[in-house]
C-alpha cells in the first residue's frame, strides 16, 4: 500500500456505521465523522482502533428507570474484512497476537480511507488476552492499560505490517493512544542499534505526532500507577526521562501525549483556553469540532439541500445558501423529520406525544455535570409555563457509564419527574441512545436543549447535528455554543455570560432557562412562526455551513498535519 504522506489516526472508539458498536459517544462519533470527511477530501489517511466485539453496552431501563447493561451482539464478518497480517505485542511479559479487520470509508468522490480494527481473539492467546478487545471502556484500569498497549503499540506494529512504512503524522485522538509514542521511540532505537534515547529521538518522534485533547473533566484523562505500568508495559527507557515522563509516580496518558507531540489542540475555542489553563506550560491551539453533514442531515433535509444547494455534499460551506430556501419548504422538511421522531417515541414509550406541540430534545451521556434535570429545577414553574404560555413536551436519551451510579440516579430521577408531570408536560426517556437515535432526535425535535455545568463541556456536537437540520439550540454558553450562538438568530443562550467553574448556580441557570422558554422560545414558536423558521434557516446557514468536519479537517491539514 502506498503510504507517502499518510496520516494515521488513532482512536479508542470510532462510530463507522450504526450497526458497528465500536463507540460509546461523542469521541467516537467525531472519529467516524473525521474519517468520512477525510475520505470526501481525498486525504491520505488510515484509521486505527479496537474491534470491541461486545461493544460499549446495550442499555435497558427497568420500570423504575434504573439502567441495566447488556453486551452488544453483532457479527463482525458481516461488516469487516479480516486481514492476513499478524503482529505481536508483549503485555505482562506474554506475547499477545493481534489480527486486523478492515473497514473502508468511501468518500463522496470515491476515495477510500481504510480503518483497521485490532482484535486479540485468536486461539494462540490465553483466555484472558482473548478478551482484551471485547469491551469498550469496560473492566478496571489494568484491563484499560492492556487495551491501550494493544491500541498504541499494536496499532503502530500493525500499520507497519500492512505496509504503512512512511507515516507522515500520527494523530492521537485523546490520550488513550499515547503509548504509540513509546513504540515510535523503540523503532528509532532498533534502527540505530542504540540502547538509550537521545534528544534527537525525542525531537524526531515529536515531529511525527499530533495530539487532540477532548475534555476538561479529570476522569477523562487516564492515569495509571507506576507499579501497574511496570507490570503491564515492562520497563521502557522513556520512564527514566523526566521531560517525557513526569508526574507523581503515575503514567498520565495526557502528559505523555503532550510531551511527545509537536502540535496539540483543544476542540473548541473555549476548550483551547481551558486546556491552556490546565496545562499551562504547553502550547495548545484549538480546532473546533464539527459533524459530517451528509451523515447527519435527515433524509427530508438531504432532499431539500440536493434541490436548493446542489453541491452541499462536496462543499459544506455552500449550506449558507439555505437562507434562500423558501420558509414553507424548510417547515415541511422539518415536519417530516419531526413526525418520524414522534411516531418512534409513541411506539416505544406510549407517551402520546403530539406533532404540533413544541418538542425539546436532550440526549447526552448521563453524567451529573451535564445536568439533565436542570429543566426540572422548579417543576411548578415549568407546569405554569406550559399551561400559560404554550404546551411543551420533552424527549430524553442517554447512557450512564456502567460504573457511574450518580449518572444512573439521574436517569431514574427523570423517570420520577416524568410521572409527577404527567398530564402537564409529557416526557419520554428513550432506551439505548446510539447513532441512529441520535439522528432521529437531533433532526426531529424543535429545539435542542443543552445544560452542562461550565466549563466542562469541551465542545459538544449534537447541537451541531441539530443546527444542520434547522433545529436551534437553547444552551448554556459553553463548548461550541460560545462560537455558534447569536442570540435570537441561531438559537438562545441560557445564562448571558460564560461563567467560571466556581459560579455554578443551578437556581440561576434554571431561572434563565425558564425565562428564555417563556419570553422567547414558546411565543416565537406558537405566535410568530415565520420568525421561528428564520431562526431555523440561520441555524443551517450560519452554523451548519461551519460546524462540520469538512471545515474541521481543512484546519487540521493546514495547522496540524502539514505545518
Ligand atoms: C452526536 C452524538 C454524541 C455527542 O453529542 P454531545 O453533544 O457531545 O453530547 C454522543 N452520542 C451519540 C450517540 C451521538 O450521536
Amino acid at each position: 500500500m502506498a503510504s507517502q504522506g499518510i496520516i494515521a489516526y488513532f482512536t479508542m472508539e470510532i462510530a463507522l456505521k450504526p450497526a458497528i458498536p465500536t463507540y460509546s459517544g461523542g469521541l467516537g462519533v467525531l472519529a467516524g465523522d473525521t474519517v468520512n470527511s477525510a475520505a470526501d477530501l481525498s486525504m491520505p489517511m488510515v484509521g486505527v482502533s479496537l474491534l470491541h466485539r461486545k461493544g460499549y453496552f446495550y442499555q435497558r431501563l427497568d420500570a423504575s428507570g434504573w439502567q441495566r447493561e447488556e453486551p452488544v451482539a453483532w457479527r463482525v464478518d458481516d461488516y469487516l474484512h479480516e486481514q492476513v497480517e499478524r503482529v505481536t505485542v508483549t503485555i505482562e511479559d506474554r506475547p499477545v497476537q493481534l489480527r486486523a479487520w478492515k473497514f473502508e470509508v468511501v468518500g463522496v468522490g470515491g476515495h477510500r480511507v481504510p480503518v483497521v480494527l485490532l482484535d486479540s481473539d485468536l486461539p494462540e492467546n490465553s483466555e484472558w488476552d482473548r478478551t482484551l478487545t471485547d469491551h469498550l471502556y469496560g473492566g478496571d484500569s489494568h484491563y484499560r492499560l492492556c487495551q491501550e498497549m494493544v491500541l498504541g503499540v499494536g496499532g503502530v506494529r500493525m500499520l507497519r505490517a500492512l505496509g504503512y512504512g512512511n507515516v507522515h503524522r500520527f494523530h492521537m485522538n485523546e490520550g488513550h493512544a499515547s503509548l504509540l509514542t513509546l513504540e515510535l521511540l523503540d523503532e528509532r532505537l532498533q534502527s540505530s542499534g542504540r540502547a538509550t534515547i537521545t534528544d534527537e529521538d525525542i525531537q524526531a518522534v515529536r515531529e511525527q505526532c499530533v495530539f487532540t485533547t477532548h475534555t476538561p473533566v479529570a476522569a477523562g484523562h487516564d492515569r495509571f500507577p507506576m507499579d501497574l505500568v511496570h507490570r503491564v508495559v515492562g520497563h521502557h527507557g522513556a520512564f527514566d526521562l523526566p521531560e517525557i515522563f513526569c508526574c507523581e509516580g503515575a503514567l498520565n496518558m495526557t502528559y505523555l501525549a503532550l510531551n511527545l507531540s509537536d502540535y496539540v489542540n483543544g476542540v473548541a475555542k473555549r476548550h483551547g483556553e481551558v486546556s491552556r489553563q490546565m496545562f499551562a506550560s504547553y502550547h495548545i491551539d484549538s480546532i473546533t469540532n464539527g459533524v459530517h453533514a451528509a451523515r447527519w442531515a435527515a433524509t427530508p433535509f438531504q432532499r431539500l439541500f440536493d434541490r436548493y444547494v446542489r453541491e452541499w455534499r462536496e462543499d459544506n460551506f455552500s449550506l449558507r445558501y439555505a437562507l434562500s430556501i423558501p420558509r414553507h419548504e424548510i417547515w415541511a422538511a422539518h415536519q417530516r423529520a419531526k413526525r418520524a421522531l414522534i411516531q418512534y417515541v409513541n411506539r416505544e414509550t406510549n407517551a402520546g406525544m403530539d406533532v404540533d406541540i413544541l418538542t425539546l430534545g436532550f440526549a447526552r451521556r448521563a453524567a451529573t455535570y451535564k445536568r439533565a434535570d436542570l429543566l426540572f429545577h422548579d417543576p411548578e414553574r415549568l407546569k405554569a409555563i406550559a399551561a400559560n404560555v404554550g404546551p411543551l413536551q420533552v424527549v430524553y436519551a442517554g447512557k450512564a457509564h456502567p460504573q457511574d451510579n450518580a449518572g444512573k440516579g439521574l436517569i431514574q430521577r427523570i423517570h420520577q419527574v416524568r410521572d409527577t408531570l404527567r398530564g402537564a408536560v409529557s416526557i419520554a426517556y428513550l432506551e439505548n441512545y446510539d447513532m441512529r437515535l441520535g439522528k432521529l432526535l437531533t433532526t426531529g425535535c424543535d429545539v435542542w436543549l443543552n445544560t452542562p455545568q461550565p466549563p466542562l463541556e469541551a465542545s459538544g456536537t449534537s447541537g451541531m447535528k441539530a443546527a444542520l437540520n434547522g433545529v436551534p439550540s437553547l444552551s448554556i454558553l459553553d463548548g461550541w455554543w460560545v462560537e455558534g450562538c447569536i442570540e435570537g438568530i441561531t438559537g438562545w443562550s441560557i445564562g448571558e455570560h460564560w461563567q467560571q467553574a466556581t459560579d455554578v448556580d443551578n437556581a440561576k441557570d434554571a431561572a434563565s432557562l425558564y425565562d428564555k422558554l417563556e419570553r422567547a422560545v414558546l411565543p416565537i414558536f406558537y405566535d410568530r412562526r415565520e420568525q421561528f423558521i428564520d431562526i431555523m434557516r440561520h441555524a443551517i446557514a450560519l452554523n451548519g455551513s461551519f460546524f462540520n468536519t469538512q471545515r474541521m479537517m481543512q484546519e487540521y491539514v493546514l495547522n496540524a498535519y502539514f505545518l
Side-chain angles (χ1 to χ4, degrees):
M1 279 185 236
S3 65
Q4 200 71 30
I6 203 160
I7 307 299
Y9 182 77
F10 278 63
T11 182
M12 184 57 93
E13 51 171 308
I14 187 161
L16 293 167
K17 53 190 276 171
I20 305 182
T22 51
Y23 66 97
S24 88
L27 185 70
V29 169
L30 178 79
D33 286 358
T34 296
V35 292
N36 273 276
S37 284
D40 290 344
L41 294 166
S42 298
M43 283 176 56
M45 181 180 268
V46 56
V48 180
S49 189
L50 304 189
L51 183 62
H52 303 303
R53 258 175 206 284
K54 310 238 160 106
Y56 182 45
F57 64 87
Y58 189 97
Q59 179 198 48
R60 290 203 195 273
L61 300 172
D62 71 16
S64 77
W66 191 254
Q67 172 178 298
R68 311 273 170 205
E69 300 95 26
E70 295 174 11
V72 186
W74 65 295
R75 300 263 334 160
V76 171
D77 49 12
D78 283 356
Y79 307 99
L80 305 170
H81 299 287
E82 185 182 353
Q83 307 297 292
V84 294
E85 289 78 4
R86 298 283 187 273
V87 298
T88 304
V89 183
T90 304
I91 296 176
E92 294 179 327
D93 285 331
R94 290 189 308 279
V96 176
Q97 287 232 35
L98 301 173
R99 74 175 140 188
W101 296 82
K102 189 166 90 174
F103 181 86
E104 274 191 330
V105 178
V106 183
V108 66
H111 179 76
R112 285 160 191 271
V113 169
V115 178
V116 168
L117 301 178
L118 301 166
D119 178 17
S120 69
D121 185 16
L122 289 168
E124 297 87 336
N125 294 331
S126 72
E127 279 308 305
W128 194 77
D129 290 336
R130 293 182 71 157
T131 68
L132 284 178
T133 51
D134 276 354
H135 293 280
L136 172 60
Y137 306 140
D140 55 10
S141 58
H142 171 235
Y143 183 75
R144 177 77 73 91
L145 182 56
C146 294
Q147 288 191 317
E148 295 188 7
M149 280 292 284
V150 172
L151 178 66
V153 177
V156 173
R157 291 185 187 168
M158 184 58 80
L159 286 184
R160 301 310 190 199
L162 291 168
Y164 297 98
N166 189 357
V167 172
H168 179 67
R169 285 284 189 281
F170 290 86
H171 185 170
M172 294 172 265
N173 187 43
E174 194 50 289
H176 310 127
S178 60
L179 292 176
L180 74 83
T181 59
L182 301 186
E183 178 64 10
L184 296 180
L185 285 169
D186 283 344
E187 285 187 343
R188 286 187 59 88
L189 293 183
Q190 271 154 27
S191 65
S192 67
R194 280 180 286 109
T196 44
I197 300 165
T198 63
D199 287 347
E200 290 78 62
D201 293 327
I202 294 170
Q203 196 44 39
V205 170
R206 267 192 197 131
E207 282 166 16
Q208 286 183 278
C209 292
V210 167
F211 171 48
T212 302
T213 178
H214 284 270
T215 180
V217 179
H221 298 263
D222 282 336
R223 284 175 90 254
F224 299 105
M226 256 350 262
D227 53 346
L228 178 67
V229 175
H230 284 298
R231 181 151 64 88
V232 171
V233 182
H235 184 77
H236 193 283
F239 299 170
D240 304 326
L241 301 172
E243 67 271 31
I244 301 184
F245 216 78
C246 52
C247 315
E248 317 112 42
L251 166 55
N252 182 314
M253 299 298 276
T254 302
Y255 279 102
L256 182 60
L258 285 168
N259 289 335
L260 283 169
S261 297
D262 209 23
Y263 177 88
V264 179
N265 69 291
V267 291
K269 287 194 166 57
R270 181 70 71 191
H271 179 236
E273 288 167 23
V274 173
S275 301
R276 284 189 288 276
Q277 284 168 15
M278 289 173 74
F279 309 111
S281 53
Y282 296 88
H283 181 81
I284 301 178
D285 199 9
S286 67
I287 294 178
T288 302
N289 280 344
V291 297
H292 186 268
R295 284 221 297 177
W296 292 104
T299 310
F301 277 96
Q302 292 190 15
R303 295 213 185 99
L304 197 58
F305 298 156
D306 286 340
R307 272 167 52 219
Y308 286 93
V309 194
R310 245 175 240 119
E311 68 284 25
W312 70 284
R313 292 168 199 269
E314 293 81 17
D315 173 15
N316 294 175
F317 290 120
S318 63
L319 283 168
R320 67 189 183 281
Y321 289 112
L323 283 181
S324 67
I325 302 176
R327 288 195 189 92
H328 71 272
E329 296 259 33
I330 296 273
W331 190 249
H334 174 64
Q335 286 301 96
R336 276 195 285 279
K338 185 173 178 183
R339 267 197 299 276
L341 172 67
I342 299 298
Q343 281 166 10
Y344 181 85
V345 169
N346 289 342
R347 203 164 62 227
E348 291 292 309
T349 70
N350 199 23
M353 288 198 178
D354 182 338
V355 192
D356 296 323
I357 289 181
L358 178 102
T359 305
L360 298 179
F362 185 106
R364 37 191 50 81
R365 190 155 52 82
T368 46
Y369 79 86
K370 307 247 186 188
R371 298 191 295 183
D373 56 350
L374 191 73
L375 181 64
F376 308 125
H377 189 82
D378 182 352
E380 290 310 313
R381 176 139 187 225
L382 186 64
K383 265 193 200 165
I385 292 170
N388 303 328
V389 188
L392 59 97
Q393 54 198 13
V394 198
V395 187
Y396 278 93
K399 295 173 175 177
H401 184 277
Q403 279 145 27
D404 180 7
N405 281 328
K408 292 184 188 180
L410 196 55
I411 299 176
Q412 203 166 40
R413 172 158 153 67
I414 291 165
H415 281 72
Q416 287 154 2
V417 176
R418 177 196 66 189
D419 296 341
T420 42
L421 289 181
R422 204 181 296 277
V425 176
S426 86
I427 296 163
Y429 203 110
L430 299 173
E431 276 180 323
N432 201 41
Y433 181 43
D434 63 2
M435 273 179 88
R436 209 185 311 257
L437 207 48
K439 186 161 174 178
L440 200 59
L441 275 155
T442 52
T443 59
C445 292
D446 297 306
V447 173
W448 194 245
L449 181 66
N450 187 28
T451 51
Q453 179 183 314
L456 298 180
E457 177 102 310
S459 163
T461 53
S462 55
M464 300 175 183
K465 300 168 193 166
L468 177 72
N469 288 281
V471 173
S473 283
L474 168 60
S475 169
I476 293 278
L477 284 172
D478 198 14
W480 82 282
W481 195 233
V482 176
E483 295 161 65
C485 178
I486 304 172
E487 187 68 23
I489 305 286
T490 58
W492 304 271
S493 62
I494 301 169
E496 300 302 328
H497 299 290
W498 184 72
Q499 307 151 354
Q500 292 297 329
T502 45
D503 317 328
V504 170
D505 183 339
N506 291 341
K508 199 162 128 236
D509 288 345
S512 167
L513 167 55
Y514 296 134
D515 287 347
K516 287 286 160 83
L517 282 173
E518 195 168 52
R519 294 190 202 147
V521 179
L522 285 160
I524 297 173
F525 181 82
Y526 286 114
D527 308 332
R528 287 175 259 148
R529 186 59 52 86
E530 289 204 345
Q531 186 187 344
F532 193 86
I533 301 171
D534 282 341
I535 294 169
M536 297 175 69
R537 286 199 294 203
H538 286 127
I540 303 169
L542 293 172
N543 287 346
S545 69
F546 183 82
F547 295 98
N548 53 70
T549 38
Q550 191 172 84
R551 183 267 317 150
M552 183 193 86
M553 280 320 282
Q554 288 166 341
E555 288 191 46
Y556 276 104
V557 167
L558 288 172
N559 301 332
Y561 297 156
F562 299 100
L563 287 168

